Amino acid sequence: MKYVGAAEFKANCLRLMAEMQADGEPITVTKRGKPVAVVNPAMVEVGKPLPSAFGLLENDAYRFDIEPGEMVDPDWEAKFDAKWDARLSGDGLTTSAAER
């Protein structure tokens, strides 16, 4: 690991980064002899393209083969209220949807 003072790093930043890219050795920047930052080489190879995001959601779980008119059950609200009333019927604090 190379140790470089902050002033020298500021003055020679581009050259130091080129050296780091060539040899892969991290640079520790110091201020008054104490380390304040570590500059590491990038983990991704330069010039290597990233994988395409196209097709990441290609899964049967994300398919929508339902017609828009079939998506909503006409009685969805009544069914929801019935399930909710059945779930809360034992607490003694709530009233049914019909009583509201």
Side-chain angles (χ1 to χ4, degrees):
M1 185 176 290
K2 294 180 188 176
Y3 289 87
V4 177
E8 181 184 349
F9 182 78
K10 182 179 177 182
N12 301 310
C13 180
L14 296 176
R15 180 184 56 80
L16 290 168
M17 287 193 303
E19 289 176 11
M20 182 180 57
Q21 186 180 11
D23 63 15
E25 186 178 1
I27 299 170
T28 301
V29 181
T30 61
K31 210 169 193 180
R32 296 184 182 158
K34 294 183 181 179
V36 293
V38 177
V39 181
N40 289 307
M43 300 300 278
V44 184
E45 293 180 24
V46 175
K48 183 179 178 185
L50 295 174
S52 173
F54 183 75
L56 286 178
L57 294 178
E58 212 170 66
N59 187 338
D60 287 342
Y62 298 109
R63 291 184 58 196
F64 295 98
D65 294 336
I66 302 171
E67 292 295 323
E70 299 174 8
M71 292 175 62
V72 179
D73 182 11
D75 287 337
W76 73 269
E77 196 169 5
K79 290 177 182 178
F80 176 80
D81 286 340
K83 281 185 181 180
W84 189 251
D85 289 342
R87 213 171 154 194
L88 297 177
S89 63
D91 67 4
L93 298 174
T94 59
T95 59
S96 68
E99 295 172 3
R100 281 188 249 158

